[in-house]
Structures are given as structure tokens and as C-alpha cells.
């Protein structure tokens, strides 16, 4: 048995956003920490998710800028996309970030154990490392093994014609045509990338809207913008069958209509990576594969916590960070507050971006709030005009009370939602936000204008 360097105060299984944030914070609080990872540190977010996709989305934005240059009086031409060069740029961003993270963990004194771990009791993880088995003993264990793409029953993903986002990220060509199954976040982001790169794209979504969990007016704005960009979509559509052919793939929808394309991207959600961890043997309860936790991320075993995509909370890297920090602080004897998941900002980085925080109007009604709402059209915002973007900022507030939700569509609104986060989480009144002076000319003025209108003193608003 290889020496682990333990015993430890905390042993974290999984080095993605939730796991490494927990390891860093626990080390900062003076605990001895081991972090077990079988692959590359940084998990899905850094290696197969947030970071590489946002690099592709930025390349897509550059392509659109070149295409639209004449609109701003600049002579440029879009000549095409060199996918190997796009990947080289993306991979450099990823490898630099992984290197930075590895250095940071080492500098904070976290022991990194490379290999595949499995629970060996309430305070131990057995790790198969290249050098042989290692037993990591810890007073506390934190499970953070993340999630992986899932398919539909009877729809095999061959990685060639039918692919997951993992394969989409390394595709060495721009496909002529793609069908995207699932109009959630992954679906709309890849649809946006491929369209900007020149592909014909059709999204097939089972529910009545793209991004169906967002405020319906945001979904409708996105649908309008996608239609203008030539992205096709089938809403409320059920897939009856998928056939791969010599040249591509054919999808049959309920009713018998067929769609054909070179590729099918399956983006119908991600499932927790909980199989093979020895959870049941250790007494860790699960539900539909997710590890069950309370508001403090405690599992059914007192020494074991779980964070990130492995638990049934929003599958977002920043949620993983927050949960990892919460667990480290709890184990370190502090008294962290439980996370208000409604107050977590959500962003789809497609073109245009869709961002929100707090409640949708339907959720507000379900919870018995009497609401008032204002939609400020970006057409009235000079900076948005300069950028040539269309969209809106919608603010929902309790009648006579606090702001309950903020929903935005438009270029760069992902950066604007951070103000919405402060407004929502500090339970601000529209009149309080209306007092704050927003710098001119910025897109952030649209946030100020919406609150001015809600406070009864609209400025740049007709009617
Ligand atoms: P998702 O749950 O966001 O979207 C899946 C979509 O597929 C849903 O709209 C659903 O209605 C649809 N769907 C399900 N079954 C279908 C069927 N049979 N036919 C047609 N449509 C069907 O999942 P995702 O887009 O795969 O993303 C997985 C997770 O990763 C999500 O939790 C997401 O939030 C997260 N993620 C976040 C970001 C971001 O924050 N920018 C980016 C990528 C992924």
C-alpha cells in the first residue's frame, strides 16, 4: 500500500468546481486536506464545460463581428473557420487555467492524489493510483464526483454521428448541418456556436420553449433572435426514432415528420456520477442517482458530505464553488448560512445571452406573491444600440415590496446579472435601486431604468 501522506482532516473525492473549492477553503482554514482526482484537475467546468465552451462562443462572436463589420462601416470579410486553430486557442486557455489551479492547490498545501477513489467506510477512501492502491483516511469525507451527459432510452451515442457535448468540443470540422436534441443551456449554446461558424442548425425541444426554465418572455426573445439568425427549432416536439446513415443522421418526430443532418448533438441533461463509489455499502442514501443531502450538504452518514452536480441542486460551477466553501466552513467550525438557490445567477452564453436571478413570474405566483413587473426594452438603451443588440431587462417585484426576480436578454447581459444578484439577494426595493446612479452610456442603465419605472418615475420610457 502506497502512503497517502495522511491521516487528513478532510478527504475530497473529485477535483472539479465543488471539490477543489472545498479543498482550497478547508486548507485556508488550517485543515489537512487530500484531493483525489482520476482525470485532470478542474473537472467538467474547466476541461469539458464552462471554460472550453465559452472559448468557442468567443470565437463564434469574433466570426459574427467579422460578418457584421460592414454594419459599423468597417471593411472586413468572413472567410471561414479554421477549427484546428480554434481548438489550439481554446486548449491553451484550458491548459493554462488547469496549470494555475494545480499550482494554487499545491501552494495552499493540498495533497493531490491521482487515481480513482471508492468509499472504504465512513472515514476512508481507497484509491487506485498508477503506483498502486492508496488508502486515504480523513475525519471527514466530501463527495464531489460531478455529472456526465445522459442520453434518452434507446438512443445510443456513438460519438461519431450522434454525439454529446464532450465530443462536440473536440470536433475537428464545422459540420454542414446539425440537429440539437434539447433546447436547454447546452443545446442553445452549441446551436449558437455552430450557426456562427456557418452550420445549418435545428433544435428539437420537448417543452413549449427554448430555455424552458427561464421567464417565458426571455425564451420568446431568444426564439425571435435565433429565428433571425437562421437557427431553426421545433418546440413541443417528441422524438420517435433516430437512424444513423452513411452520411449522417435522420430524426423522426411524432407525427412522422423527419429531419436530416450530418450530426445529432444529444443535450437532454446530465446525470450524477454516483455509480461504483460504494455509496450504498457505506450507508450514503441516494435518490435517482443523486446523493441526498440536507441544507448543509450533509449526507445520511455523519462524516460524509456531498457537493456539486452529484447532489440535486442546480448543475452550475458557481453552485459547486459555493457548496464546497459551505462544507469546508462547516467542517472548520464556522457557521455558514445555507445557500438560497433562487439567488444564484443563471446565464446562457448564446448570442444573444439570456441571464436571470430570483423568481420567474410563474414561481412568484405559485408562492403567493402579488407582483408588479416592468420590461425595459434595450431599444431605449443607447449602448445597446451602439452594440447593435436587441433584448430586454424585466424586473418582477412584490407589490409594494422587494425585487423578486430579474430577467435579461441581449449581448453581454451575463455581466449585467451580477447587479441583479445584489438587488435580489439584498432584498432591495425598486425605489432603493432607483436612487442609485448608473453610469452613462452603459447597458447597466437599462437595469436602472427598469427600477426607475417600477418605482413610479420612468425616465426614457414612452407611454
Ligand atoms: P438542461 O436540463 O438545461 O436542458 C435539457 C433540455 O432537453 C430541456 O429543455 C428538456 O426539456 C429537453 N429535453 C429532455 N428530453 C427531451 C426529449 N426527449 N426531446 C427533446 N427535448 C428534450 O440540460 P443540458 O442543456 O443538457 O445541460 C446540463 C446541465 O449543465 C444543466 O443543468 C445546465 O444548467 C448545465 N450547464 C450550464 C451552463 C451554463 O450555466 N451556461 C452551460 C452548460 C450546461
Amino acid at each position: 500500500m502506497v502512503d497517502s501522506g495522511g491521516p487528513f482532516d478532510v478527504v475530497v473525492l473529485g477535483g472539479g468546481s465543488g471539490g477543489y473549492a472545498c479543498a482550497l477553503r478547508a486548507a485556508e482554514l488550517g485543515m489537512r486536506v487530500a484531493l483525489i482526482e482520476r482525470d485532470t484537475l478542474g473537472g467538467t467546468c474547466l476541461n469539458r464545460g464552462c471554460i472550453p465552451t465559452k472559448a468557442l462562443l468567443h470565437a463564434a462572436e469574433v466570426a459574427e463581428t467579422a460578418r457584421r463589420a460592414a454594419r459599423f462601416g468597417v471593411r472586413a470579410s468572413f472567410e471561414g473557420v479554421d477549427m484546428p486553430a480554434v481548438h489550439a486557442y481554446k486548449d491553451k486557455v484550458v491548459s493554462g487555467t488547469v496549470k494555475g489551479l494545480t499550482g494554487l492547490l499545491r501552494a495552499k498545501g493540498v495533497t493531490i492524489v491521482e487515481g480513482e477513489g471508492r468509499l472504504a467506510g465512513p472515514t476512508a477512501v481507497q484509491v487506485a493510483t498508477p503506483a498502486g492502491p492508496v488508502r486515504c483516511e480523513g475525519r471527514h469525507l466530501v463527495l464531489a464526483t460531478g455529472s456526465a451527459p445522459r442520453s434518452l432510452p434507446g438512443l445510443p451515442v456513438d460519438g461519431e454521428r450522434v454525439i454529446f457535448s464532450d465530443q462536440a468540443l473536440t470536433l475537428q470540422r464545422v459540420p454542414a448541418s446539425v440537429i440539437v436534441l434539447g433546447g436547454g443551456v447546452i443545446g442553445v449554446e452549441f446551436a449558437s456556436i455552430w450557426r456562427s461558424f456557418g452550420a445549418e442548425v435545428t433544435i428539437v425541444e420537448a417543452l413549449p420553449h427554448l430555455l424552458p426554465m427561464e421567464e417565458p418572455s426571455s425564451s420568446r426573445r431568444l426564439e425571435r433572435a435565433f429565428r433571425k439568425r437562421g437557427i431553426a427549432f421545433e418546440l413541443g416536439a417528441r422524438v420517435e426514432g433516430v437512424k444513423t446513415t452513411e452520411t449522417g443522421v435522420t430524426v423522426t418526430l411524432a407525427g412522422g415528420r423527419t429531419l436530416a443532418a450530418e450530426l445529432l448533438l444529444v443535450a437532454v441533461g446530465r446525470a450524477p456520477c454516483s455509480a461504483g463509489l460504494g455509496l450504498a455499502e457505506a450507508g450514503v442514501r441516494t435518490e435517482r442517482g443523486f446523493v441526498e443531502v440536507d441544507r448543509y450538504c450533509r449526507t445520511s452518514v455523519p462524516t460524509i458530505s456531498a457537493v456539486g452536480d452529484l447532489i440535486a441542486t442546480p448543475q452550475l460551477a458557481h453552485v459547486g464553488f459555493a457548496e464546497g466553501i459551505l462544507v469546508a466552513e462547516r467542517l472548520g467550525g464556522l457557521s455558514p448560512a445555507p445557500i438560497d438557490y433562487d439567488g444564484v445567477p443563471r446565464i446562457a452564453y448564446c448570442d444573444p445571452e439570456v441571464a436571470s436571478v430570483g423568481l420567474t413570474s410563474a414561481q412568484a405566483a405559485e408562492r403567493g406573491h402579488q407582483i408588479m413587473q416592468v420590461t425595459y426594452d434595450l431599444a431605449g438603451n443607447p449602448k445597446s444600440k451602439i452594440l447593435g443588440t436587441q433584448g430586454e431587462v424585466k424586473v418582477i417585484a412584490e407589490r409594494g415590496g422587494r425585487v423578486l426576480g430579474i430577467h435579461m436578454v441581449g449581448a453581454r447581459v451575463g455581466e449585467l446579472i451580477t447587479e441583479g444578484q445584489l438587488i435580489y439577494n439584498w432584498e432591495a426595493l425598486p425605489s432603493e435601486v432607483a436612487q442609485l446612479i448608473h453610469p452613462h452610456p452603459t447597458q447597466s442603465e437599462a437595469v436602472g431604468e427598469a427600477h426607475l419605472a417600477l418605482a413610479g418615475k420612468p425616465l426614457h420610457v414612452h407611454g
Side-chain angles (χ1 to χ4, degrees):
M1 182 82 71
V2 184
D3 182 19
S4 70
F8 299 95
D9 295 311
V10 184
V11 172
V12 183
L13 181 55
S17 309
Y20 85 66
C22 183
L24 284 173
R25 185 71 183 117
E28 248 169 49
L29 291 170
M31 291 182 262
R32 299 197 64 207
V33 184
L35 179 62
I36 303 164
E37 173 56 57
R38 66 178 174 192
D39 200 340
T40 314
L41 285 170
T44 301
C45 165
L46 251 177
N47 299 288
R48 294 173 299 283
C50 322
I51 303 304
T53 53
K54 269 73 240 174
L56 291 187
L57 278 156
H58 184 64
E61 186 183 338
V62 174
E64 291 294 352
T65 304
R67 250 194 218 107
R68 298 171 189 171
R71 200 186 291 175
F72 305 98
V74 176
R75 282 193 208 103
S77 58
F78 173 74
E79 291 176 4
V81 175
D82 173 357
M83 272 324 281
V86 170
H87 288 309
Y89 145 70
K90 173 203 76 180
D91 294 344
K92 196 167 165 212
V93 173
V94 169
S95 60
T97 315
V98 170
K99 205 167 150 211
L101 171 65
T102 310
L104 183 63
L105 285 160
R106 294 230 158 89
K108 295 239 176 157
V110 173
T111 300
I112 297 166
V113 182
E114 288 174 32
E116 178 130 6
R118 190 175 197 283
L119 287 180
T123 55
V125 179
Q126 183 82 9
V127 190
T129 76
V134 172
R135 189 179 166 87
C136 291
E137 298 271 356
R139 285 194 300 120
H140 300 279
L141 307 182
V142 181
L143 305 174
T145 50
S147 65
R150 67 175 183 85
S151 188
L152 299 175
L155 175 53
V157 173
D158 63 14
E160 297 281 330
R161 296 278 175 220
V162 183
I163 62 174
F164 281 136
S165 55
D166 292 5
Q167 287 101 32
L169 272 171
T170 55
L171 205 63
Q172 292 300 319
R173 64 185 192 285
V174 177
S177 56
V178 195
I179 298 167
V180 175
L181 185 56
V185 194
I186 294 181
V188 298
E189 289 187 353
F190 273 100
S192 193
I193 292 167
W194 277 322
R195 185 63 189 148
S196 295
F197 285 173
E200 293 297 326
V201 182
T202 305
I203 306 172
V204 177
E205 166 57 49
L207 292 173
H209 282 296
L210 296 180
L211 295 180
M213 307 318 280
E214 291 293 337
E215 179 70 11
S217 53
S218 294
S219 296
R220 279 195 297 272
R221 278 270 185 186
L222 177 68
E223 288 158 14
R224 207 182 307 160
F226 269 17
R227 215 174 280 123
K228 259 176 99 175
R229 291 186 56 198
I231 297 174
F233 42 86
E234 300 281 340
L235 302 176
R238 212 158 49 83
V239 172
E240 299 247 291
V242 173
K243 267 211 182 87
T244 53
T245 62
E246 278 290 291
T247 51
V249 58
T250 306
V251 173
T252 307
L253 302 179
R257 223 150 50 77
T258 59
L259 304 170
E262 186 182 323
L263 282 180
L264 173 68
L265 170 71
V266 178
V268 295
R270 297 178 61 91
C273 296
S274 54
L277 296 179
L279 297 178
E281 297 88 323
V284 176
R285 272 203 302 272
T286 58
E287 154 117 40
R288 293 176 299 115
F290 290 101
V291 170
E292 275 184 21
V293 290
D294 66 8
R295 297 196 315 149
Y296 295 92
C297 298
R298 292 181 290 218
T299 73
S300 49
V301 177
T303 51
I304 304 181
S305 304
V307 299
D309 285 6
L310 184 62
I311 64 176
T313 53
Q315 293 176 321
L316 299 170
H318 43 292
V319 166
F321 293 146
E323 291 168 344
I325 292 167
L326 176 137
V327 167
E329 295 190 344
R330 175 168 55 72
L331 301 181
L334 305 180
S335 312
I339 295 164
D340 170 9
Y341 290 100
D342 293 334
V344 176
R346 308 163 289 259
I347 306 167
Y349 297 87
C350 43
D351 172 19
E353 293 184 346
V354 178
S356 64
V357 67
L359 308 183
T360 60
S361 44
Q363 286 170 328
E366 261 167 41
R367 298 186 199 180
H369 294 289
Q370 296 291 318
I371 62 166
M372 51 183 188
Q373 58 188 43
V374 157
T375 300
Y376 188 82
D377 197 309
L378 292 187
N381 174 258
K383 184 61 194 267
S384 298
K385 269 206 191 88
I386 291 166
L387 295 175
T389 190
Q390 290 168 347
E392 65 185 36
V393 173
K394 179 174 188 173
V395 182
I396 300 167
E398 178 99 62
R399 199 165 280 283
R402 59 170 291 207
V403 173
L404 296 172
I406 302 184
H407 304 269
M408 305 175 175
V409 182
R412 304 181 183 182
V413 297
E415 300 290 344
L416 281 193
I417 200 64
T418 48
E419 182 181 3
Q421 177 193 9
L422 298 180
I423 294 168
Y424 172 83
N425 287 293
W426 271 333
E427 303 183 1
L429 303 174
S431 57
E432 290 170 329
V433 183
Q435 275 301 104
L436 304 174
I437 299 166
H438 288 77
H440 179 75
T442 62
Q443 284 183 291
S444 77
E445 284 178 287
V447 178
E449 293 267 2
H451 287 85
L452 280 165
L454 259 187
K457 43 183 197 177
L459 184 59
H460 298 96
V461 181
H462 288 282

